[in-house]
Amino acid sequence: MTEAPSLKLGYVVIESERIDDWQRFAGEGMGMHVERVSDDLLTVRVDDRERRIVVKRGPAEDVVSLGWELADDEALRAMRKHLEANGVSTGAGTAEAAALRDVPGFFGFDGHKGLRFEFFTAAKRTNRPLVAKTSGFVTGEGGLGHAVLFTRKPEALLADLQRLLGARLSDTITDKLQGTEMEFWFLHLNERHHSLAVAATKGVRLDPLRTRVQHLMFEAVSFNDVSDAYLRCKELGYRIAMGMGQHPNDNGVSFYAISPSGFEVELGFDPVKIGADWDVRQYRGISKWGHRPEFEPTKAEKRATIWTALKSLFRK
Ligand SMILES: [Fe+2]
């Protein structure tokens, strides 16, 4: 049995028809460095990488790829071998797709709800300064942030993420959200408390989400960066899925805004790092304080959510 080399989240690719709105949301709201490459392409920087978030024109209105970074070519080759040894067939990205991501090359496989898991090394760096409202973002050893996946089959997804990516359990949380009892599993791949989390309804497993990703999280360097972004997002009219609050497990302070594509984006500050003597704990309640919903979905949105949840019962 091979072991997965160490991974960190390196980039995300989003497909959207709302690129103007993404430019406003990421730039004016979240305070990231945005570059409008063309009418059909927006790229976003949060550090010395050219392309951490790529928003390309397309109908998915969703995250389509998560790019996982490996230390070097040897680790990249070992990862491919590890995936193939575990029965996952991987396909290489085209030169055009690699250029879009600003990486030398990559390979990947279709994972959760068709979400592409991609693997690369040696993304290009730039000396150009960031032009952003947020004073800085934390990436480094913990990577770009985290993604949360909602599923009807948490046990199978957790087993896959552990076996294929080498993810390890950080902790679990149960909570009743909007009348539904929920379970969350938080998984680390490096020092970041979680690079991935899995969410599921307890009891009857339903997936009320149209999108592959429930939310993406990015980490700002200061509390003020987060609170200022929260106020800007409100001012710009973006819906706040959860206002400022603090999680009990990673102690991160954050808020969640609904992105132009419908999934949520969390901007957080100061989550704890995983250390060598980490104890896996169980928590009740996803927040120590705050994180209150600040909008009421429309009737049509509620109907769509119920319909998606019911349809999910018949999905493989
Ligand atoms: Fe999160």
Side-chain angles (χ1 to χ4, degrees):
M1 176 116 166
T2 56
E3 263 186 36
S6 181
L7 299 171
K8 51 190 177 186
L9 186 62
Y11 63 77
V12 299
V13 182
I14 294 161
E15 206 178 279
S16 176
E17 295 291 354
R18 300 170 187 156
I19 298 185
D20 290 346
D21 201 9
W22 264 105
Q23 186 169 351
R24 185 167 166 265
F25 177 76
E28 301 296 314
M30 290 291 164
M32 296 165 168
H33 175 121
V34 292
E35 291 187 10
R36 189 63 179 261
V37 180
S38 71
D39 195 37
D40 295 336
L41 182 62
L42 173 78
T43 60
V44 181
R45 288 180 53 204
V46 298
D47 57 8
D48 63 354
R49 301 290 178 82
E50 286 284 3
R51 296 187 176 185
R52 284 295 201 175
I53 305 173
V54 173
V55 187
K56 62 170 182 168
R57 192 171 297 282
E61 218 56 74
D62 200 354
V63 178
V64 291
S65 300
L66 296 177
W68 299 98
E69 182 175 8
L70 289 121
D72 50 31
D73 284 328
E74 196 185 330
L76 193 63
R77 277 194 297 275
M79 186 70 206
R80 195 159 192 179
K81 219 170 137 186
H82 168 72
L83 290 172
E84 299 279 349
N86 279 278
V88 177
S89 74
T90 58
T94 62
E96 192 189 357
L100 181 75
R101 292 151 176 76
D102 203 38
V103 296
F106 70 94
F107 62 86
F109 66 89
D110 284 334
H112 171 72
K113 290 169 86 172
L115 178 65
R116 195 96 185 135
F117 283 74
E118 300 174 352
F119 303 88
F120 73 100
T121 189
K124 287 179 217 136
R125 293 171 185 279
T126 177
N127 289 325
R128 290 188 304 130
L130 280 186
V131 181
K133 291 185 188 298
T134 295
S135 68
F137 291 85
V138 180
T139 52
E141 287 309 304
L144 178 59
H146 68 237
V148 176
L149 313 175
F150 206 114
T151 178
R152 286 189 57 227
K153 297 182 177 170
E155 292 82 6
L157 179 56
L158 285 163
D160 280 350
L161 296 175
Q162 287 169 331
R163 185 173 52 100
L164 302 178
L165 305 189
R168 286 140 284 164
L169 190 65
S170 306
D171 35 53
T172 60
I173 299 183
T174 58
D175 201 353
K176 194 170 194 170
L177 297 173
Q178 282 134 33
T180 306
E181 195 63 34
M182 299 278 307
E183 293 181 89
F184 300 88
W185 294 262
F186 298 84
L187 301 165
H188 61 272
L189 295 165
N190 48 57
E191 68 177 25
R192 186 173 287 286
H193 175 273
H194 55 287
S195 294
L196 285 164
V198 170
T201 54
K202 221 173 166 163
V204 180
R205 304 285 198 196
L206 294 165
D207 180 359
L209 289 193
R210 174 189 62 79
T211 52
R212 299 167 175 96
V213 166
Q214 192 275 328
H215 76 260
L216 293 174
M217 182 270 191
F218 304 98
E219 184 183 341
V221 297
S222 79
F223 178 86
N224 276 337
D225 285 326
V226 177
S227 60
D228 287 350
Y230 166 75
L231 292 172
R232 285 196 307 271
C233 283
K234 276 173 83 86
E235 182 72 28
L236 290 164
Y238 290 107
R239 299 200 289 183
I240 304 297
M242 293 203 279
M244 297 285 294
Q246 187 172 27
H247 292 300
N249 55 343
D250 67 3
N251 269 321
V253 173
S254 65
F255 77 96
Y256 296 67
I258 299 187
S259 77
S261 292
F263 61 83
E264 296 170 15
V265 172
E266 176 184 16
L267 188 67
F269 163 66
D270 205 25
V272 298
K273 289 187 172 73
I274 296 283
D277 54 351
W278 188 260
D279 284 330
V280 177
R281 292 180 57 187
Q282 295 183 319
Y283 296 86
R284 177 70 191 168
I286 59 162
S287 305
K288 291 208 289 200
W289 56 268
H291 283 150
R292 301 275 174 245
E294 294 189 12
F295 81 100
E296 180 72 10
T298 63
K299 274 188 184 154
E301 285 168 333
K302 282 184 187 164
R303 271 200 300 273
T305 300
I306 292 168
W307 180 235
T308 306
L310 289 174
K311 273 198 304 188
S312 75
L313 286 172
F314 301 97
R315 206 167 53 212
K316 217 164 47 123

